[in-house]
Every structure is written in structure tokens, then in C-alpha cells.
Amino acid sequence: MTRWNNGLDEVERVSPDITDETNALPAWYFTDPEVHELEKEAVFGRYWVYAGHANCIPETGDYFTRTIGDRELIVLRDHDGEIRAFYNVCAHRGSAIVEDTPMTDPGNARRIQCPYHLWTYDLDGDLASTPRSFEEARLNPDLDDEDVPELDAEDNSLMAVHTDRIGPFVFVNLDDDPMPLAEQAGELTDELEALPLEEYRLARRIVSEVECNWKVFAGNYSECDHCQANHQDWVKDLELLESELEVDDYHWTLHYKHKEDVDDEMRIHDEHEAQFHYFWPNFAVNMYGTADGYGTYLVDPIDEGRFQLVADYYFRESELSEEETQFVRTSRQLQEEDFELVERQQRGLNTGAIAQAQLGPNEHTVHRLHRLAQEAYDAYADETAEDRSHEGEASEA
């Protein structure tokens, strides 16, 4: 049952059963700035989040930056060829070290040096050197040089962030003790690693700012009940009745068959189908089945009413063929059609008229998305309450 803000209906938590009346998140979770702040910790500070593509930093010292919530990260390839991530924060006095460096134009450095006081770090994050002024006390009349302690390289290292990969896709986790990426990804790992994704290079990037909450767009992406009415140019070439939907704990995959055969040489995967993978919380991979390539999509929140969609397209060559150009064109058309839909939904939510929506029986992926958000909020609330309890016990002692 849809619940309205008319003083009569009360909202409830998302039910685990999609057939229950309260099968959607309360509407205020899509409009409240406090929820946006909560999600920086409860969602993006706890789960594995896509950072970027390994092929964009192929050489030792290559790096790009990535901001998750309010946290700026440096993602780099070290001397052993491994990809690491660190907070973009100097261990000296907390200065940001490098400027914003997109994955499309990565930087390269033998070492990472903070421009403020020239503290310099190896690619493993350890402190490599400091200026002489940190070794001598010549300007401090109360200290002799021999009283200046030596700075330990490891104790004064950059703050590392957990990293892991699925094929060429690099993920980071800001939690101190995260679940393994393999646990969060489930069968998605095998599905993606069965494809030769690492053979492809970034060829195009399109960045869009959209006027809606990121969960609204994620919900739109997760179902295709709206496709027949709103993506008519696309669905005319698909057998929607032959579609399949696979749902795992933290990801879901939609498969759609093409009506006409597609040359196998133009395929990244077997069978003539489109594959849409969504990985909680905000990452997607698309294979439209009409070109030798794929797209990745990052749904990055800006605030409670806006997100940024970063759409990257990967092909074997940077010079696109006719089929590859059509791939990007089709993807962009679908995005623009969806932008109109989700911004319309956000406008309705912003009126405050609806208190809690009602999902349909085939929107079980949307229900799963809402449940994951609810579970994240609840887990963070429980953890925060436990921390406060321990603080209270410690103060009484």
C-alpha cells in the first residue's frame, strides 16, 4: 500500500518480503541531507566501492585520484606492479598531497611528494625523506640537534586503504576490517573474470550531473518494467520475453536476447545477448551485445538530490569503429532517456506528498537495493550505539 504524508499513514522499515505493504524505503531517505551524510559512513565507508580501471595506470608510478564521500584517495601502481590506494593526506600536518588527477589523464611519479613541506613517500606509502629542517633544531633555541628524534618511515607512512580487484576493475574499501571483496561480489567475480575485460582500453568518457538521489537512479537501472514505454528504439531489437534476471546478495544481472544475430567477432561474450550487471552500492557494467567492447558506470552521489554519472567505454582501439560508435550512441541515448525519468521521480519525491512507495512484483531488484540500504543504515546505527555504550562504560570506570 502506498503511504501518503496526510497525517494518517506511518512509514516503516523495508520489509524482507516484497509482497508486504512496506516493500520500499520511506521517501525521506531520498531527500534528506542527513541521510546523505549518513551514507558516507554507512554505505560508502563500509562496502567495496569501484575506484577505477587497472589498465589506466599500466606503468610503475602511474596514479589517479578518487574521491569517495569526503575522502580523497590516491590510487597508484607500485614498484612490484601491484595497485595500492592511500588517503591523499600527508602524515606531517594533513595537507592534501596531489591535485585532482582523473583516470583519463593519470599522473606519474617515482615518489609521492607533499608540496607543503616536501615530505616524500615511496610508492609503498612509507616515508622516504624529509627536508633537513626536520632533522635539525637550528631555529629552536630550546633543542639541540641530537634531541631531535628520527622519524620512523613506517610509522609516518601514508594511510593505506584496502584494495582488491575483479579482473581489471579496482575496488577500495574504507572500513578497518572489511568483508572480502569476493564475499560481497559473489558470483559476479566468476562472471566478469570469465570475460577478457583486461584486453580493452579506455576510449571514451562521458560525465553527467543528474538532479536526483543516487538511489533513485540505481533503482531505475535495476529494473526494465519501464523499458517498453521509455526505450522504444532500443527494445525493438530485443526479445524482452526472453530476458533473464539473476539476483545475488549484492549484485544483479539482467540478460536480454537480440532479435537479430550479431557477428561473433564483434562480441566480448558468448551468445547474442545484452548483459547489465549492477554491483552494490554504485557500480555497473554493460555489454549491449552489438560491439566488441563494454561500458562501466559509476553512480557517484553529490548530495541528497544530485549524483554524477561517470560512463567509461572500453574497446580494443581508441579509434572507434562504426559499431563501437553506435554502442556509445545507444548507451548515451538510454542514459538521457533515464535522466528524464529519474529527475521526474525526484521532483515528485521532493514535494513531500508521498511517505512510502509501493513496489511491483517484478521490481525485486529495486526491493533488494532498498533492503541493502536499510541494512546498511541499521548496521551503522547499531555500531554507533555500541560505541557510545563502550564510551559510557569507560567514562564511568
Side-chain angles (χ1 to χ4, degrees):
M1 177 184 74
T2 298
R3 301 186 174 196
W4 300 97
N5 275 322
N6 54 11
L8 301 177
D9 297 330
E10 295 183 1
V11 299
E12 299 180 27
R13 298 172 69 261
V14 185
S15 169
D17 188 344
I18 195 173
T19 64
D20 287 347
E21 291 182 353
T22 56
N23 62 6
L25 277 173
W28 67 277
Y29 281 105
F30 301 90
T31 61
D32 193 322
E34 291 187 5
V35 174
H36 171 67
E37 293 301 318
L38 167 68
E39 289 175 341
K40 291 178 182 179
E41 296 295 334
V43 176
F44 298 98
R46 295 292 187 271
Y47 292 93
W48 289 93
V49 177
Y50 179 64
H53 201 288
N55 288 351
C56 292
I57 47 173
E59 305 297 332
T60 297
D62 285 350
Y63 70 88
F64 59 84
T65 58
R66 173 84 166 88
T67 299
I68 299 174
D70 298 324
R71 290 148 171 178
E72 297 181 24
L73 308 180
I74 305 170
V75 183
L76 59 80
R77 191 176 290 271
D78 68 14
H79 290 290
D80 296 324
E82 298 298 321
I83 292 181
R84 296 172 176 261
F86 304 96
Y87 280 91
N88 185 22
V89 178
C90 182
H92 172 214
R93 280 164 56 183
S95 172
I97 303 174
V98 301
E99 296 301 319
D100 182 42
T101 307
M103 196 175 70
T104 51
D105 187 22
N108 183 274
R110 293 175 56 194
R111 288 177 169 177
I112 304 297
Q113 185 176 75
C114 179
Y116 196 177
H117 294 92
L118 304 184
W119 280 38
T120 305
Y121 302 87
D122 285 328
L123 298 181
D124 62 3
D126 283 354
L127 182 65
S129 66
T130 58
R132 190 172 178 180
S133 59
F134 288 87
E135 301 170 2
E136 300 175 349
R138 63 183 184 276
L139 296 180
N140 188 340
D142 297 325
L143 283 180
D144 294 327
D145 288 351
E146 57 267 22
D147 296 325
V148 177
E150 182 178 351
L151 292 173
D152 183 272
E154 186 173 348
D155 289 344
N156 290 279
S157 63
L158 297 176
M159 185 174 180
V161 173
H162 295 282
T163 61
D164 204 344
R165 288 168 58 173
I166 299 176
F169 301 143
V170 180
F171 293 86
V172 295
N173 194 306
L174 305 179
D175 199 8
D176 292 335
D177 185 24
M179 75 172 84
L181 175 60
E183 180 180 338
Q184 183 177 324
E187 294 181 1
L188 181 65
T189 300
D190 293 336
E191 291 186 36
L192 293 181
E193 290 188 342
L195 305 174
L197 302 177
E198 68 282 349
E199 297 177 9
Y200 296 76
R201 300 293 182 269
L202 179 61
R204 293 289 186 276
R205 166 170 283 193
I206 302 175
V207 180
S208 308
E209 184 175 311
V210 187
E211 298 288 330
C212 83
N213 184 271
W214 70 276
K215 298 186 296 299
V216 170
F217 186 81
N220 172 273
Y221 185 94
S222 298
E223 52 85 8
C224 208
D225 277 6
H226 71 279
C227 293
Q228 192 71 52
N230 296 282
H231 300 313
Q232 295 180 13
D233 288 344
W234 178 58
V235 300
K236 67 183 181 182
D237 295 324
L238 296 176
E239 294 284 1
L240 284 182
L241 295 179
E242 299 294 326
S243 63
E244 297 178 2
L245 182 58
E246 302 170 359
V247 183
D248 205 339
D249 288 344
Y250 297 98
H251 87 275
W252 34 95
T253 303
L254 293 83
H255 302 264
Y256 295 106
K257 299 287 186 180
H258 283 266
K259 291 181 179 178
E260 298 180 1
D261 288 344
V262 179
D263 188 345
D264 281 340
E265 293 183 359
M266 297 305 302
R267 303 284 306 169
I268 191 175
H269 53 86
D270 295 332
E271 299 184 3
H272 307 309
E273 67 175 14
Q275 294 185 10
F276 300 134
H277 302 273
Y278 194 92
F279 183 42
W280 166 265
N282 64 332
F283 178 63
V285 185
N286 285 4
M287 294 92 172
Y288 285 110
T290 54
D292 187 18
Y294 59 92
T296 65
Y297 307 88
L298 184 63
V299 187
D300 243 355
I302 298 173
D303 55 31
E304 68 279 1
R306 294 179 300 158
F307 76 91
Q308 184 181 73
L309 181 69
V310 181
D312 291 330
Y313 299 95
Y314 294 85
F315 302 102
R316 294 185 184 275
E317 305 292 340
S318 58
E319 195 70 30
L320 302 190
S321 67
E322 180 180 344
E323 291 83 1
E324 292 163 351
T325 300
Q326 183 58 43
F327 178 105
V328 177
R329 187 180 298 120
T330 297
S331 173
R332 185 58 182 169
Q333 178 180 338
L334 291 172
Q335 290 167 28
E336 291 175 345
E337 291 167 351
D338 280 337
F339 294 164
E340 182 179 350
L341 298 175
V342 297
E343 288 185 340
R344 181 182 294 118
Q345 181 183 351
Q346 189 71 33
R347 286 199 345 252
L349 292 169
N350 287 343
T351 67
I354 197 167
Q356 193 162 15
Q358 179 69 49
L359 300 178
N362 293 314
E363 294 176 319
H364 49 304
T365 46
V366 183
H367 177 251
R368 184 64 192 141
L369 176 81
H370 288 201
R371 282 289 301 166
L372 285 170
Q374 184 74 73
E375 290 167 5
Y377 306 150
D378 292 347
Y380 183 71
D382 291 344
E383 180 180 316
T384 302
E386 184 177 349
D387 290 343
R388 288 174 179 169
S389 175
H390 291 162
E391 291 174 2
E393 293 173 0
S395 63
E396 291 175 4

